[in-house]
Amino acid sequence: MPSKSRSVIFVLLTLALIFQIFPTISIPVVDRIYLSTYNGRKFGVFGWCTAKSSECTSPRIGYEILPLNGTTEVASLFLPSRAKRSISKLLIVHPISLFFTFVLWTLALALNMHNFGQSRKILAGAVLWSLLTVLLSLLSFLVDILLFVPYLAWPGWLVLVSTVFIAVASSMMCIIRRAVSLRKYEKLRNRDNVELVPLRFSNVNSNSSKPTASEGVSDTQESAAWQHVAPDQPELVHRAV
Amino acid sequence: MVKKTSWRYSQVPKEYQSCGGIDLGNGVLIWKNKWQPVAYFDSVRFTSYCDEGNPVYSSLKRNRLSFPYSKALQRDWHTFITSGNDRGPFKYSIYAIIMSFTTNFVITLFLTVIVFITIRQKPHRGASNLLKLGSTLASVNLAIFISKALKVLHQDHIYKGVVSTERVLDLLWMDLTFTCLDLLVVLICQLCQVQIIMRLFSRVKEKRTVFLVGVTLSIISQVLWAIPTLAQSINDNFSGLSYDADGLTLLSPFVYLFRIALAASYACIICFNMFNKRHLCFLYQRMMILTLLALIIVLLQPGFFVADVANIWVDDLSEIFNTTCYVGSAVIVWEWVDHILILERKVQAQSVLGRPVYEDDQEDYHFAKYALKVQDAISRDSETGEIGSRNDTANSGTEEQRVRWQYGDDTPPRDTNKVEFNEPQPLKNVILEKCSRIWDGMIYYTDHFIVKGLVIKTLSIHSKSSSDDHRKRKAKVRRRIGLDRPNEVYVYATRDVVFDSDEDEAESNQGSSVDEERDFP
């Protein structure tokens, strides 16, 4: 049964994934979703359309200036922020970010399963992947801001919310990694209950050292090492839990 | 004019009448030369001196005898300063720009002085030296730039009688010295920021991850930043070289946003830690001020992005502000982290449990290694004094050696009886071996920064007024963390504490009362 925090991570990442889908499927893929509307034009990730006649450019990376519906376009007035048209190619970070979020979502799904959820390597990988995802998601939002401010529509602001959700999920994954790591360590070490071990190296005499055999020692190599350096009067006390 | 923001359309300049020329008509008497002081002209056309298409107006001291400006020129000047263009209003004038340059220089200089006075050398010697180098370079860079800018302005004033902002901004984007030093300063400051984040994490594995991810991202951002910036600078300085402006137009804003994203992530981490440790941040007034200062400085860079999006003036000067922001966010936050960690250790020293030890520390036997190192040093000292017990010490030496092999400190000896053949290893093994070597090297380099953090030598040493004080403090710290009793190394583990039940307690009370009755009949 998945823990509560893992379920929260999954829910957060699901929401983040949905929020990132909206800008990616914006105009010209879906007519009603757009990143910005300015000067009679509606902008999406893969193109733009005219506001009145809904005539759109073909889906591609970067905007192309076409005289749609008989209108003439002035390059410097094309985007709200006076950014050059070629900068719109940076909107490619939206689908990349969506891909990263999707992979993170599948990792979160895997973490809810018993087999993968206890693996420290998968957890560490998920944390690292989430860092990249946060960075890319933030980058997508910054690109939107740079191109469309002050006319950014709600799908653009959803990317900011998505970034915050991924960041929170990333922090929670980090906490889970710590917990799993501690649990594994305790499982490994807590078979013995070592009470007190004073080490006196200066009194070490190999001839007189008496090895203190103990029951239930898990790490034999380690115990052997401690036995070699034990003092004349053994003070190593092992108690089986 | 060279503008770094090549990815933005510059505003179309207005056409001013005085710059294009004004027809004054005929019948005007003017002074021509000493042989012909007055002359009659049929048609006079006056063209005012303009700076890049913009009207200029004298800001020199005027008196009654000074010639008045023509009405057309005055009208143009009024239009220039009141219309919302990129250069006209006062905030774009040379005064505002010089003030921002000098203010940034003074702040950076001030931060450099702070670094040299207050930042402690230990326990992070490498990082504090890096911080000193970065802040010094930033100060030197800004000093060089300001002297160059003043020289340019001086020459313009002498030869043209105009003090132009364009020339100073051109210098900012074209000067190769400034660009190269700035690249170095920002890289150093970013590495210092990585060190700061590493200090905020307690676990060794997390520190390693932060180090590897942080250094990689810093280097990537600086390399990407250097490509368009240096290409443009070199193209401006050395004509005739091929320059792919279109390709670099896309890279420039990407790097700009990448840097902002990194700065925002850094700000988030610091703010999150401030929130987590808020009880320490607002413990006393000085700490409160430092916390607020650190908060403002880490939010400055994302704040400048917002200001830049709203106002292009900031964008033109972004490099100057960037330097100060980076130096500030490294120096002030370093000092804040220093204070927070000291307060945290003080709280831990006063608590029953002491400093928390994590499983990561134990996994690589750091404590065992540390105990062995201390013991090794002490036994070496004692060996020099004891001549007669050579055999015993040799035996104990072999025992200690064996323990060291056990914990991976030294490599175990080769078995001399084993026969080895020089057989070629499979390619897969060779690649795996090489990869593991690279990985081990990276981990060793990371641990070089981390191990010092594990064995904290100083807790609250800030000033080194006298060597006696220093020695006393050192002895105190040694006593506190148990270094004065190196032979007594204890390993603890958790254990269930079983309390006596009430019945047992009652029984024991009865027993003791009986004993008392026996003692005192």
Side-chain angles (χ1 to χ4, degrees):
Chain A
M1 176 146 179
S3 68
K4 196 178 173 184
S5 53
R6 285 165 202 256
S7 306
V8 172
I9 290 174
F10 183 69
V11 170
L12 282 175
L13 287 177
T14 308
L15 286 174
L17 187 69
I18 292 166
F19 288 173
Q20 293 223 355
I21 288 171
F22 280 110
T24 313
I25 59 165
S26 57
I27 273 175
V29 182
V30 176
D31 288 345
R32 290 193 177 183
I33 302 172
Y34 49 88
L35 286 172
S36 171
T37 171
Y38 171 70
N39 219 2
R41 284 180 292 266
K42 286 179 179 175
F43 296 97
V45 170
F46 296 108
W48 61 276
C49 301
T50 53
K52 283 180 184 173
S53 60
S54 297
E55 200 178 346
C56 299
T57 57
S58 54
R60 52 169 281 181
I61 301 298
Y63 297 147
E64 53 180 343
I65 297 183
L66 293 172
L68 294 177
N69 203 17
T71 55
T72 51
E73 302 293 343
V74 180
S76 60
L77 297 174
F78 184 70
L79 287 166
S81 60
R82 268 168 55 188
K84 284 184 181 170
R85 192 176 46 86
S86 58
I87 306 304
S88 59
K89 285 178 186 168
L90 283 180
L91 287 168
I92 187 69
V93 290
H94 272 288
I96 296 173
S97 173
L98 179 66
F99 168 73
F100 270 70
T101 313
F102 177 72
V103 174
L104 190 65
W105 180 78
T106 50
L107 281 171
L109 194 67
L111 288 179
N112 277 287
M113 294 171 189
H114 185 72
N115 294 342
F116 299 105
Q118 301 302 318
S119 166
R120 277 182 292 184
K121 281 183 182 173
I122 289 182
L123 272 165
V127 170
L128 276 177
W129 191 265
S130 69
L131 291 179
L132 289 175
T133 313
V134 170
L135 207 63
L136 273 168
S137 183
L138 186 59
L139 210 57
S140 326
F141 173 67
L142 292 177
V143 169
D144 289 352
I145 285 277
L146 195 75
L147 289 174
F148 304 119
V149 89
Y151 299 96
L152 190 63
W154 59 268
W157 294 107
L158 279 185
V159 181
L160 177 65
V161 181
S162 166
T163 308
V164 173
F165 282 175
I166 298 169
V168 173
S170 173
S171 310
M172 289 178 75
M173 272 183 196
C174 201
I175 292 166
I176 288 177
R177 196 203 70 83
R178 283 179 182 179
V180 168
S181 176
L182 185 66
R183 212 176 296 143
K184 289 216 167 181
Y185 176 77
E186 280 177 345
K187 202 184 271 182
L188 188 72
R189 303 277 159 166
N190 269 8
R191 285 180 216 166
D192 309 325
N193 191 1
V194 180
E195 204 172 60
L196 196 61
V197 186
L199 302 173
R200 292 196 173 82
F201 294 105
S202 54
N203 297 332
V204 167
N205 188 349
S206 62
N207 297 328
S208 60
S209 66
K210 296 172 185 173
T212 54
S214 57
E215 290 176 6
V217 178
S218 62
D219 193 345
T220 51
Q221 286 183 333
E222 192 185 350
S223 65
W226 289 117
Q227 284 162 17
H228 280 299
V229 294
D232 295 343
Q233 295 177 341
E235 294 176 44
L236 182 67
V237 182
H238 287 280
R239 285 183 186 175
V241 177
Chain B
M1 155 125 188
V2 180
K3 280 189 76 178
K4 192 155 197 174
T5 52
S6 55
W7 44 277
R8 263 182 179 150
Y9 289 109
S10 50
Q11 208 170 40
V12 182
K14 259 189 174 169
E15 287 185 6
Y16 294 98
Q17 193 187 3
S18 59
C19 296
I22 307 163
D23 285 324
L24 297 178
N26 48 15
V28 178
L29 297 171
I30 54 168
W31 180 84
K32 194 178 177 187
N33 53 42
K34 63 182 178 181
W35 295 282
Q36 191 184 357
V38 176
Y40 182 84
F41 289 84
D42 286 335
S43 172
V44 177
R45 187 175 173 81
F46 170 72
T47 306
S48 172
Y49 176 79
C50 290
D51 187 38
E52 309 246 345
N54 295 322
V56 293
Y57 205 77
S58 173
S59 57
L60 300 174
K61 193 177 177 183
R62 295 173 60 79
N63 55 28
R64 279 188 304 114
L65 299 172
S66 303
F67 288 110
Y69 277 99
S70 75
K71 281 185 179 171
L73 193 57
Q74 283 186 34
R75 200 170 46 245
D76 280 353
W77 177 254
H78 184 73
T79 313
F80 178 63
I81 58 171
T82 50
S83 64
N85 62 33
D86 280 356
R87 299 279 163 246
F90 179 75
K91 63 183 176 186
Y92 302 121
S93 69
I94 190 69
Y95 309 108
I97 284 180
I98 283 186
M99 193 180 162
S100 57
F101 283 160
T102 45
T103 309
N104 279 295
F105 173 61
V106 169
I107 293 171
T108 311
L109 202 65
F110 177 68
L111 290 170
T112 310
V113 172
I114 285 179
V115 169
F116 277 93
I117 289 174
T118 62
I119 300 289
R120 290 182 297 152
Q121 192 79 5
K122 289 178 180 177
H124 302 273
R125 191 185 294 273
S128 64
N129 286 339
L130 208 61
L131 203 57
K132 282 172 187 167
L133 178 70
S135 55
T136 312
L137 273 179
S139 300
V140 169
N141 195 20
L142 284 179
I144 292 171
F145 175 75
I146 285 180
S147 55
K148 276 185 180 177
L150 288 177
K151 195 178 167 187
V152 165
L153 291 177
H154 174 71
Q155 281 174 351
D156 273 8
H157 181 78
I158 288 174
Y159 296 114
K160 296 179 186 172
V162 175
V163 189
S164 169
T165 55
E166 309 290 319
R167 289 291 303 272
V168 179
L169 290 177
D170 282 354
L171 189 71
L172 183 65
W173 303 130
M174 284 170 65
D175 192 27
L176 264 177
T177 317
F178 181 82
T179 310
C180 293
L181 279 176
D182 191 56
L183 175 80
L184 212 60
V185 167
V186 174
L187 180 65
I188 289 171
C189 288
Q190 280 181 340
L191 292 178
C192 288
Q193 288 179 352
V194 173
Q195 288 282 321
I196 287 168
I197 299 172
M198 276 170 70
R199 290 183 73 188
L200 288 170
F201 285 90
S202 309
R203 288 165 173 80
V204 178
K205 275 184 183 170
E206 287 172 2
K207 282 180 190 239
R208 278 180 191 162
T209 312
V210 169
F211 179 79
L212 295 175
V213 173
V215 169
T216 312
L217 287 177
S218 304
I219 290 172
I220 287 172
S221 90
Q222 283 312 95
V223 168
L224 289 180
W225 181 84
I227 293 167
T229 312
L230 288 178
Q232 194 173 345
S233 291
I234 289 167
N235 180 61
D236 295 333
N237 284 293
F238 306 101
S239 55
L241 295 173
S242 60
Y243 175 65
D244 180 19
D246 290 338
L248 297 173
T249 301
L250 198 60
L251 191 58
S252 177
F254 175 75
V255 179
Y256 173 62
L257 295 180
F258 190 66
R259 269 185 167 191
I260 299 292
L262 287 184
S265 308
Y266 176 68
C268 282
I269 292 169
I270 298 295
C271 290
F272 179 72
N273 274 280
M274 278 178 185
F275 179 75
N276 263 355
K277 294 165 184 173
R278 58 191 178 278
H279 61 286
L280 293 175
C281 291
F282 300 103
L283 205 61
Y284 52 90
Q285 200 183 358
R286 275 180 65 190
M287 196 60 211
M288 215 181 327
I289 293 169
L290 189 62
T291 306
L292 283 176
L293 207 61
L295 183 71
I296 291 167
I297 204 92
V298 293
L299 291 175
L300 257 184
Q301 218 172 1
F304 269 123
F305 169 72
V306 177
D308 168 34
V309 167
N311 192 341
I312 295 172
W313 174 75
V314 182
D315 183 42
D316 281 346
L317 300 173
S318 60
E319 242 6 83
I320 291 277
F321 288 120
N322 256 344
T323 309
T324 313
C325 284
Y326 272 112
V327 174
S329 62
V331 174
I332 292 175
V333 180
W334 182 276
E335 187 67 10
W336 176 78
V337 170
D338 236 15
H339 277 76
I340 282 287
L341 291 182
I342 287 167
L343 286 173
E344 218 170 42
R345 297 244 157 76
K346 272 184 183 170
V347 170
Q348 286 167 358
Q350 287 163 5
S351 71
V352 178
L353 295 172
R355 189 167 73 85
V357 177
Y358 303 101
E359 69 278 5
D360 293 359
D361 303 336
Q362 191 60 14
E363 272 178 5
D364 291 334
Y365 307 110
H366 284 300
F367 288 107
K369 280 180 193 170
Y370 174 62
L372 281 171
K373 271 181 190 168
V374 172
Q375 187 52 44
D376 197 30
I378 290 166
S379 61
R380 214 177 292 137
D381 288 346
S382 61
E383 273 172 28
T384 52
E386 295 170 12
I387 305 162
S389 58
R390 285 196 176 222
N391 291 330
D392 292 346
T393 50
N395 286 336
S396 68
T398 53
E399 290 299 324
E400 284 176 32
Q401 196 70 31
R402 203 176 299 165
V403 174
R404 270 194 227 113
W405 299 332
Q406 201 74 41
Y407 288 99
D409 215 17
D410 287 345
T411 49
R414 284 188 166 194
D415 190 355
T416 47
N417 293 328
K418 193 177 172 185
V419 180
E420 288 182 359
F421 297 100
N422 277 335
E423 289 177 359
Q425 285 186 316
L427 186 66
K428 189 184 165 188
N429 287 358
V430 172
I431 291 169
L432 277 174
E433 198 181 331
K434 296 268 181 199
C435 288
S436 66
R437 270 187 196 171
I438 292 167
W439 180 249
D440 287 347
M442 282 163 76
I443 286 177
Y444 173 79
Y445 186 70
T446 314
D447 287 355
H448 183 69
F449 288 94
I450 295 164
V451 169
K452 285 177 184 172
L454 182 68
V455 187
I456 300 295
K457 291 176 182 171
T458 52
L459 287 177
S460 58
I461 301 167
H462 250 286
S463 62
K464 295 173 182 174
S465 54
S466 67
S467 59
D468 284 347
D469 284 353
H470 181 60
R471 212 175 299 131
K472 276 179 191 171
R473 274 198 297 271
K474 204 172 175 182
K476 193 178 167 186
V477 172
R478 279 174 69 84
R479 197 166 58 248
R480 190 180 293 170
I481 62 173
L483 283 179
D484 59 330
R485 301 182 301 278
N487 290 340
E488 297 169 18
V489 178
Y490 296 99
V491 178
Y492 295 93
T494 53
R495 186 190 171 196
D496 294 333
V497 179
V498 181
F499 290 102
D500 293 334
S501 65
D502 294 339
E503 291 174 6
D504 293 342
E505 203 173 314
E507 282 175 14
S508 63
N509 285 339
Q510 282 177 357
S512 62
S513 61
V514 170
D515 290 344
E516 279 171 11
E517 282 171 11
R518 280 176 190 167
D519 290 343
F520 304 101

